Amino acid sequence: MMFFPSKTLNASNMETLIECQSEGDIKEHPLLASCESEDSICQLIEVKKRKKVLSWPFLMRRLSPASDFSGALETDLKASLFDQPLSIICGGSDTLPRPIQDILTILCLKGPSTEGIFRRAANEKARKELKEELNSGDVVDLESLPVHLLAVVFKDFLRSIPRKLLSSDLFEEWMGALEMQDEEDRIEALKQVADKLPRPNLLLLKHLVYVLHLISKNSEVNRMDSSNLAICIGPNMLTLENDQCLSFEAQKDLNNKVKTLVEFLIDNCFEIFGENIPVHSSITSVDSLEHTDSSGMECAII
């Protein structure tokens, strides 16, 4: 498959897309026409007050049928997916493994409209089978699977990262930054701690908090605001090295601290990480418009 540099969907032409509402308008705009056929994940909603437009590199291509990207899977996934440092499974390319890219893409597209995302459990047998398939590098049609199953397996993936995504070595620095009284100072301090993460960890963190932020902005539908999301996913992102030795009260205090940190990262992701997700993926195709809108916030994908 040949890939081409994608065009940028900026504020100007996004407004054009949003304002085109008739069938005639859609036919005159090829970007809208490509979107029209995928109503389930691509909704054009008139937005009175636009907030942020995210440049989402994983969505620069449509999710391919499993048979279409089997070669990429075999190339990208050089090691077991679970229980490995991100530096091992990402290699030297600063690109997340394809299964993780695809899961994040689906969570971005379907998560905002899915009630209880990251909170509800999944079928244990299906969970185990999917983890085994992903870990062995098998080709999996992720689009056909329940989104709750993907969310649970993604949490398992985070939990399996040695020293965790936010790095247990930086625990005290994260907490120290969070204790800054002035919000601007707190944000600046958190930026500095984030910059100390290994590059693959920082890359995944940026993409993850943007997905969580998007989901939280649609909490009236999915019942998962930033606080609920932080409770469900925070312990998988950061902990202490010897957390299994902590007393119940100490563990509870630890979880509360991590929850507060992750909630702040979700609520302030633009201020901490910027408005555009850096494109570290080589997947860019002109066959590419997926657009979902959530309460005035777009996951823009060109």
Side-chain angles (χ1 to χ4, degrees), residues 76-79 84-97 157 199-201 203-204:
D76 291 350
L77 198 56
K78 299 181 176 65
Q84 297 279 356
L86 288 177
S87 58
I88 298 297
I89 60 176
C90 292
S93 62
D94 279 344
T95 302
L96 298 177
F157 170 72
R199 289 173 63 87
N201 292 53
L203 176 62
L204 177 56

Side-chain angles (χ1 to χ4, degrees), residues 112-299:
S113 61
T114 302
E115 184 173 346
I117 190 70
F118 286 113
R119 185 182 67 226
R120 290 187 177 178
N123 178 276
E124 190 58 34
K125 181 181 178 182
R127 174 184 183 178
K128 181 179 179 181
E129 289 177 350
L130 177 56
K131 288 176 65 176
E132 289 177 350
E133 289 174 338
L134 293 175
N135 218 29
S136 64
D138 289 349
V139 175
V140 181
D141 182 9
L142 294 169
E143 280 188 281
S144 67
L145 298 177
V147 66
H148 283 297
L149 174 60
L150 298 181
V152 167
V153 169
F154 184 79
K155 286 199 298 182
D156 287 342
F157 170 72
L158 289 178
R159 191 181 305 117
S160 77
I161 298 173
R163 311 182 88 83
K164 296 295 183 287
L165 177 63
L166 295 178
S167 182
S168 56
D169 294 339
L170 296 174
F171 183 89
E172 295 301 331
E173 294 189 50
W174 283 117
M175 294 303 121
L178 197 61
E179 291 171 1
M180 303 288 286
Q181 294 302 309
D182 182 78
E183 184 169 298
E184 290 187 6
D185 291 341
R186 193 181 316 146
I187 288 172
E188 187 57 37
L190 289 170
K191 286 181 182 179
Q192 293 178 17
V193 180
D195 285 341
K196 294 182 181 181
L197 288 169
R199 289 173 63 87
N201 292 53
L202 182 58
L203 176 62
L204 177 56
L205 175 61
K206 289 180 177 181
H207 286 91
L208 174 58
V209 294
Y210 282 123
V211 172
L212 297 177
H213 184 85
L214 182 65
I215 291 170
S216 73
K217 289 302 178 184
N218 210 33
S219 60
E220 290 185 3
V221 174
N222 56 53
R223 304 290 187 254
M224 295 298 289
D225 59 18
S226 58
S227 176
N228 290 334
L229 289 166
I231 289 171
C232 292
I233 206 168
N236 305 297
M237 296 173 65
L238 179 63
T239 189
L240 289 173
E241 197 68 18
N242 61 342
D243 64 326
Q244 66 275 10
C245 301
L246 297 176
S247 66
F248 175 79
E249 288 300 323
Q251 184 68 60
K252 183 178 178 181
D253 181 62
L254 169 64
N255 289 342
N256 286 336
K257 289 180 178 178
V258 172
K259 178 260 182 188
T260 302
L261 170 64
V262 174
E263 182 179 357
F264 192 85
L265 293 178
I266 294 171
D267 288 337
N268 298 275
C269 63
F270 296 115
E271 292 77 9
I272 297 171
F273 300 113
E275 295 186 9
N276 293 315
I277 301 173
V279 180
H280 291 284
S281 172
S282 61
I283 306 167
T284 52
S285 169
V286 292
D287 179 24
S288 59
L289 179 67
E290 316 278 8
H291 173 247
T292 184
D293 179 273
S294 174
S295 302
M297 180 176 175
E298 294 84 30
C299 189

Side-chain angles (χ1 to χ4, degrees), residues 4-62:
F4 303 91
S6 63
K7 298 179 181 178
T8 299
L9 186 63
N10 54 34
S12 175
N13 53 31
M14 173 62 83
E15 292 290 358
T16 300
L17 295 183
I18 293 171
E19 290 171 0
C20 295
Q21 299 176 16
S22 70
E23 182 179 353
D25 289 333
I26 291 176
K27 291 179 178 179
E28 291 178 8
H29 291 270
L31 292 180
L32 283 181
S34 67
C35 185
E36 183 188 22
S37 62
E38 301 195 14
D39 292 336
S40 62
I41 60 174
C42 181
Q43 303 168 3
L44 294 175
I45 301 174
E46 184 178 6
V47 180
K48 298 298 183 183
K49 294 182 180 179
R50 292 176 60 256
K51 295 182 181 179
K52 305 290 185 181
V53 176
L54 302 184
S55 175
W56 200 265
F58 295 165
L59 305 182
M60 288 178 177
R61 52 148 174 90
R62 300 183 189 280

